[in-house]
Amino acid sequence: MNKEKPVLVTGGTGFIAQHCILALLRDGYQVRTTVRSLAREAEVRDNLKTGGMRPDDHLSFVVADLTADGGWAEAAAGCAYVLHGASPTPSGDQTREEDWIQPAVEGNLRVLRAARDAGVERVVLTSAFGAVCAGHKQMERPFDETDWSDLSGKVWPYQKSKTLAERAAWDFIAREGGGLELSAVNPVTVLGPALGADYSHSIRLIKGMMEGQACARINTGLVDVRDVADLHLRAMTHPSASGQRFLAIAGESMWLADIARVLRHRMGPAAGKVSTRVLPNWLVRLGALGNPSLKGVTPLLGLNLNATGEKARRLLGWTPRSREEAIVSTAGSLIQLGLLR
């Protein structure tokens, strides 16, 4: 472990990135993180204080944008490791595949080139389960790290971008990595304590349930963000992690209605609005015609997306919290921060 040099965490405004920063600081590392604008530094620091960061912790900020070359050499300079979780997320009228894929692929390559040129030891890439599970019909076994999304199938642009971006990262290491090591973490649905009002898409799942949203017949794996951060740190330093992918999932996958039942059972009166009603598939498909956010989930209706985190447990000694704890801690943080309607 090299704690004399800083660790670069890209995309410091992100949910996983902020929990990685907290884990690194608790472990005694110096941390440098990138933001697209220093105007968000105060917000990030406030979130990290919510997560327990002390005022004297060793954290610095640098401006760098995945869509431009500027700033990345300075960001990586002198760093021992890089945790790369930043990813461009198109919004508004950016619905073409190119709006997702090109920035994700080029962003990964910018970070990897900067890390290689700065003499970084290892990059840990935050990929996604979307690079593993998409485009497949019902599997007869749990997904594992040997699986890649089948892009010839019906694949949402987000999942396609994650798949191609991770592929590009591994290809870069093979062709021109120059000794730079790479590991990848592929989390399923990431729950756990929200740190502020700018929370992840996964947190919105629990927020919607707590506010009375009915359940589609969707199946998903779950993992606590604190365990995702822990897995990043293990993948960063463990000798066996170089050149490996690791699925981050706690236990077996769950149907949304079962997640709702956990909330009803564990959260008491606070979960009074939670509904365990399951919407018929035809109604979800009908709703997707006018709701772009639903289009990405319609191919997943009725599919069991179970996966295994056995590799991370076996190779790295990773021991994640239970699914139930991840669910309850998410809901509890939304209540504590006053983020529920």
Side-chain angles (χ1 to χ4, degrees):
M1 297 182 191
N2 189 341
K3 294 188 179 181
E4 301 302 315
K5 297 180 179 180
V7 177
L8 176 64
V9 179
T10 67
T13 57
F15 179 52
I16 294 175
Q18 289 178 8
H19 278 275
C20 284
I21 291 170
L22 289 168
L24 287 163
L25 291 173
R26 280 194 294 267
D27 232 17
Y29 288 94
Q30 304 171 56
V31 181
R32 183 184 299 158
T33 190
T34 65
V35 287
R36 284 182 290 177
S37 168
L38 287 178
R40 297 197 68 181
E41 178 179 345
E43 171 199 333
V44 174
R45 287 189 179 276
D46 283 345
N47 287 356
L48 295 172
K49 286 175 186 173
T50 299
M53 186 183 80
R54 299 183 304 273
D56 60 342
D57 275 325
H58 302 293
L59 173 66
S60 60
F61 288 74
V62 62
V63 174
D65 189 323
L66 287 175
T67 63
D69 292 331
W72 287 108
E74 294 80 4
C79 290
Y81 310 106
V82 175
L83 305 187
H84 175 41
S87 183
T89 303
S91 59
D93 60 357
Q94 295 176 305
T95 56
R96 300 176 306 156
E97 282 193 350
E98 304 88 79
D99 294 324
W100 288 86
I101 294 167
Q102 186 175 348
V105 171
E106 292 182 354
N108 275 4
L109 296 179
R110 280 191 175 93
V111 172
L112 289 169
R113 287 192 195 100
R116 177 200 61 193
D117 296 346
V120 166
E121 297 175 32
R122 184 180 297 174
V123 173
V124 181
L125 172 67
T126 311
S127 187
F129 189 50
V132 174
C133 69
H136 294 281
K137 295 180 180 178
Q138 182 62 63
M139 294 279 279
E140 298 302 317
R141 58 167 177 81
F143 285 98
D144 62 32
E145 290 82 359
T146 65
D147 295 309
W148 284 88
S149 290
D150 180 1
L151 301 186
S152 66
K154 191 174 182 181
V155 177
W156 190 25
Y158 165 79
Q159 296 163 329
K160 192 168 186 177
S161 72
K162 283 295 188 183
T163 305
L164 293 175
E166 189 188 338
R167 288 279 198 190
W170 288 114
D171 289 346
F172 173 89
I173 292 296
R175 290 198 315 268
E176 49 188 306
L180 176 66
E181 296 178 349
L182 178 67
S183 300
V185 175
N186 299 70
V188 292
T189 296
V190 182
L191 301 180
L195 300 175
D198 185 9
Y199 40 78
S200 70
H201 180 76
S202 298
I203 297 292
R204 290 189 181 93
L205 171 68
I206 302 301
K207 184 176 187 291
M209 288 184 174
M210 292 292 287
E211 293 174 346
Q213 185 174 295
C215 303
R217 185 166 162 68
I218 295 289
N219 182 273
T220 183
L222 303 175
V223 65
D224 191 290
V225 66
R226 293 165 291 184
D227 297 316
V228 176
D230 176 60
L231 183 52
H232 276 73
L233 268 63
R234 291 170 186 268
M236 182 178 83
T237 58
H238 199 292
S240 298
S242 178
Q244 301 293 328
R245 308 170 87 200
F246 296 98
L247 273 169
I249 181 172
E252 294 188 357
S253 59
M254 298 178 73
W255 297 97
L256 297 192
D258 292 326
I259 297 173
R261 291 185 185 98
V262 170
L263 289 169
R264 291 290 295 267
H265 176 66
R266 295 285 300 274
M267 298 303 297
K273 294 182 181 178
V274 174
S275 171
T276 58
R277 182 169 67 96
V278 179
L279 298 171
N281 290 351
W282 66 265
L283 187 58
V284 177
R285 292 191 178 99
L286 182 64
L289 296 177
N291 185 346
S293 66
L294 284 178
K295 288 182 180 178
V297 304
T298 54
L300 305 178
L301 290 169
L303 285 181
N304 187 325
L305 295 181
N306 197 24
T308 175
E310 186 273 336
K311 180 179 176 181
R313 294 171 184 265
R314 173 172 45 85
L315 281 186
L316 306 184
W318 184 61
T319 52
R321 293 164 177 79
S322 69
R323 305 168 301 174
E324 290 77 10
E325 187 174 347
I327 294 165
V328 169
S329 65
T330 308
S333 70
L334 291 171
I335 294 168
Q336 185 175 0
L337 294 170
L339 296 175
L340 297 177
R341 289 200 307 268

